[in-house]
Amino acid sequence: MKAVFWSFFGVRKRRDYEDDAARLNPVHVILGALLGVALFIGILLVAVRFAVAK
């Protein structure tokens, strides 16, 4: 999850990226990314509903 989190922001050291590329399972990365996107969309929806409610 940490690798996916940092990739959302685009701030990852080259050495850490290379370590992740060699070590991580692509299926886990995809599932982590989907979870991260769902969480991000959920936070956006809550923020919009909060802003519109007032």
Side-chain angles (χ1 to χ4, degrees):
M1 283 305 292
K2 185 171 79 170
V4 173
F5 174 75
W6 285 116
S7 69
F8 274 114
F9 292 108
V11 287
R12 195 82 171 135
K13 295 179 184 175
R14 179 184 271 301
R15 184 179 56 91
D16 292 337
Y17 170 75
E18 290 171 354
D19 289 343
D20 290 341
R23 186 176 44 119
L24 293 176
N25 184 347
V27 175
H28 294 150
V29 173
I30 291 170
L31 290 175
L34 290 174
L35 180 65
V37 168
L39 183 64
F40 180 70
I41 290 173
I43 290 170
L44 285 178
L45 288 173
V46 169
V48 167
R49 287 184 186 213
F50 180 74
V52 172
K54 293 202 175 212

